[in-house]
Amino acid sequence: MCTITMIRTIFFYPYIVISLLFSFIFRIKIKFLTNKGDLKRRKEYIHKVSSTWAKFVIKIAGAKVNIIGLDNLPKDQTVLFVSNHQSNFDIPLLLSCIDVPKGFIAKKELENWPIISIWAKYINCIFMDRHNLRKSATSIVEGINLLKSGYSMVIFPEGTRSNGKPVGEFKGGSFKLATKSKCPIVPLTINGTYKLLEANHNLIKGADIELIIHAPIDITNLDKEELENLPETVHSIISNKYKNY
């Protein structure tokens, strides 16, 4: 194994642990802003802290990110970001590269992770139990209400990480987040994040990453048939720019 990879791995994991342990410093101000009722500054501060942390995570992992299509990000508009899912690094990638406050539809297990779960709740993540249909439906409703309130969301409709394999089938139920809230969908294609971790047996190895931001899809302009075919349409957009290295 490459010496650089070993050194990067040795430094990476302790950094993550230390940064999370010291994150209580930022939580003091968040609590202050919450008690003060200054929700606007609270949201902005949480976004700034979480995106800055994510940028450091991506940097120390040795990722070189190429972003394509930043002009496709709608300005001052709530959107549903729909992305393929390659790696545990996908969330830090999107937090660091898309400068919009946003939550994620995350797996239920994340709610039990110390400290990380606290910050996940700060950025309005919704934890979904995919093995319980009733609870999954409740999570979708929570996401719809969040989008209607003006807060953007991210979903990974494959439901699991592909680890570099072809983009899996999209679960149609998650698209209710867009069809019920009437917010635009912005498809995202992630290429290469799995090479940072999953391809190396949990060792951290630098890699070239590509994030493609596609043009928004206006849900309100779609007819009934187009809405029914929405998961396949978005899947096609994302997978057409997908590179299976």
Side-chain angles (χ1 to χ4, degrees):
M1 182 60 66
C2 176
T3 302
I4 295 177
T5 298
M6 290 301 300
I7 293 174
R8 180 174 283 122
T9 301
I10 291 170
F11 277 94
F12 180 83
Y13 288 109
Y15 166 79
I16 296 299
V17 173
I18 292 170
S19 66
L20 289 173
L21 289 175
F22 278 88
S23 67
F24 78 90
I25 297 173
F26 304 104
R27 289 162 55 192
I28 293 173
K29 183 171 181 178
I30 292 172
K31 185 175 182 180
F32 169 76
L33 292 172
T34 302
N35 293 337
K36 190 179 178 182
D38 194 341
L39 300 184
K40 183 175 183 295
R41 283 185 60 200
R42 180 184 184 272
K43 182 175 76 171
E44 292 172 349
Y45 183 71
I46 289 172
H47 173 62
K48 180 180 178 181
V49 172
S50 58
S51 60
T52 299
W53 177 81
K55 287 176 182 177
F56 275 110
V57 169
I58 293 297
K59 183 176 181 179
I60 65 173
K64 296 180 180 178
V65 183
N66 179 34
I67 307 173
I68 300 171
L70 273 174
D71 291 343
N72 286 325
L73 285 176
K75 292 179 173 58
D76 302 320
Q77 187 176 13
T78 305
V79 301
L80 176 66
F81 295 101
V82 179
S83 176
N84 64 302
H85 194 14
Q86 286 193 330
S87 166
N88 282 324
F89 274 94
D90 292 345
I91 290 179
L93 175 71
L94 299 183
L95 282 174
S96 64
C97 294
I98 298 179
D99 192 19
V100 175
K102 54 198 169 296
F104 294 77
I105 299 293
K107 61 182 180 181
K108 179 69 175 176
E109 291 77 8
L110 189 64
E111 193 172 17
N112 298 320
W113 290 17
I115 305 178
I116 289 179
S117 63
I118 295 174
W119 284 93
K121 291 173 183 175
Y122 279 157
I123 64 173
N124 288 325
C125 284
I126 293 174
F127 304 103
M128 178 178 287
D129 185 352
R130 298 183 186 276
H131 302 294
N132 187 312
L133 292 177
R134 183 180 61 81
K135 291 183 179 179
S136 292
T138 300
S139 297
I140 293 294
V141 171
E142 290 178 16
I144 292 168
N145 292 334
L146 197 57
L147 287 162
K148 285 183 176 180
S149 74
Y151 199 88
S152 295
M153 296 290 297
V154 179
I155 59 169
F156 301 110
E158 289 171 277
T160 187
R161 289 172 283 126
S162 67
N163 297 334
K165 296 177 182 178
V167 181
E169 180 184 358
F170 283 179
K171 307 296 189 296
S174 56
F175 283 83
K176 291 180 181 179
L177 288 162
T179 57
K180 297 295 185 181
S181 66
K182 305 298 182 184
C183 71
I185 286 177
V186 176
L188 305 172
T189 301
I190 294 174
N191 286 317
T193 48
Y194 75 97
K195 294 186 293 182
L196 296 169
L197 177 69
E198 284 79 4
N200 314 309
H201 306 288
N202 293 326
L203 294 176
I204 307 298
K205 184 178 180 180
D208 293 330
I209 310 300
E210 185 177 67
L211 172 63
I212 302 172
I213 304 169
H214 300 277
I217 300 173
D218 188 348
I219 298 297
T220 60
N221 288 335
L222 303 182
D223 59 32
K224 183 178 179 180
E225 183 178 355
E226 289 171 325
L227 287 172
E228 291 177 351
N229 294 329
L230 191 57
E232 291 79 13
T233 299
V234 177
H235 184 282
S236 178
I237 291 171
I238 292 172
S239 58
N240 280 344
K241 294 294 183 180
Y242 180 81
K243 298 175 183 176
N244 188 20
Y245 294 86

